[in-house]
Amino acid sequence: MRQVAEDLGIAMSTLSRWCSELAANGERAFVGSGNLQPEAEEMRRLRRENDVLRQERDILKKALTIFSHP
């Protein structure tokens, strides 16, 4: 491990932490490499859903004002 850390130009503790994260979490250990933790993915999905719902609400409000005036 020491040689690999030196070859990568990183501290031994960093490489050790990466190895521990990989052992504990597998592919999900490296967030930001196209992988998200399940909680982060759910949060992302919910934010997108909220945006769509806000847009739909705003459209309905505008339609209500247009059609409620004689």
Side-chain angles (χ1 to χ4, degrees):
M1 276 181 72
R2 186 170 307 283
Q3 184 61 47
V4 171
E6 287 176 16
D7 291 347
L8 292 173
I10 60 174
M12 180 72 172
S13 60
T14 302
L15 182 59
S16 181
R17 182 173 44 85
W18 288 351
C19 290
S20 297
E21 287 178 22
L22 180 61
N25 300 314
E27 291 291 321
R28 293 185 180 177
F30 305 106
V31 176
S33 302
N35 300 314
L36 291 176
Q37 296 291 341
E39 299 83 15
E41 180 59 39
E42 178 72 2
M43 186 66 79
R44 175 198 251 179
R45 186 188 66 74
L46 291 171
R47 282 190 179 124
R48 272 186 265 146
E49 186 177 330
N50 272 345
D51 289 341
V52 169
L53 292 171
R54 279 190 195 101
Q55 291 172 4
E56 290 173 352
R57 180 203 61 203
D58 291 345
I59 289 169
L60 290 172
K61 280 183 177 180
K62 288 177 186 176
L64 182 61
T65 32
I66 291 170
F67 292 115
S68 66
H69 292 281

